[in-house]
Amino acid sequence: MPYYEPNEKTLLDIKEQLTELKAILTKKQLLHPDDLFCDNEEFLKMMKISRRTSQFWRNTGIIKFIQIGNKIYFRLKDIQELLNKNYKSVSKD
């Protein structure tokens, strides 16, 4: 396969398209926060848990998820619900 090196104009066009796409996605995320998703890797980092714990939570229905092929996604709204459901306030006696 021959080596392809794009010219400067092509690179600028690509950069402009990516900037526009980023703006569109950012706007959509602000309009529909319930439709934001993270993948399993982001979920593990966010919750500071192991892969096994994530799998256990999915298998036992603790957290809702979406699986497409081998890829796992979590709706941020569902993560927030999990945290709210397990929230324990400190009682002041």
Side-chain angles (χ1 to χ4, degrees):
M1 177 181 262
Y3 178 73
Y4 172 74
E5 186 174 342
N7 61 32
E8 201 169 319
K9 183 185 179 327
T10 304
L11 289 175
L12 287 174
D13 289 343
I14 292 171
K15 184 177 180 181
E16 184 178 313
Q17 290 174 349
L18 287 173
T19 302
E20 290 173 11
L21 183 60
K22 182 179 176 184
I24 290 168
L25 290 173
T26 301
K27 185 178 177 182
K28 282 187 177 246
Q29 289 176 346
L30 292 174
L31 294 175
H32 305 288
D34 290 347
D35 293 334
L36 293 176
F37 292 88
C38 68
D39 65 14
N40 196 49
E41 293 301 317
E42 293 168 325
F43 180 66
L44 297 177
K45 289 178 187 174
M46 185 185 315
M47 300 299 287
K48 297 182 181 173
I49 59 173
S50 69
R51 289 181 184 276
R52 182 65 186 110
T53 299
S54 176
Q55 182 180 357
F56 176 76
W57 287 4
R58 292 190 315 266
N59 291 347
T60 56
I62 291 174
I63 183 81
K64 298 174 188 174
F65 68 98
I66 299 164
Q67 183 168 1
I68 302 173
N70 292 330
K71 195 78 171 165
I72 305 286
Y73 297 97
F74 300 91
R75 186 176 274 134
L76 291 181
K77 180 178 87 172
D78 294 333
I79 297 170
Q80 186 67 45
E81 285 176 13
L82 171 69
L83 294 173
N84 288 338
K85 186 169 62 174
N86 290 284
Y87 179 76
K88 308 244 187 298
S89 63
V90 178
S91 62
K92 295 180 182 180
D93 292 330

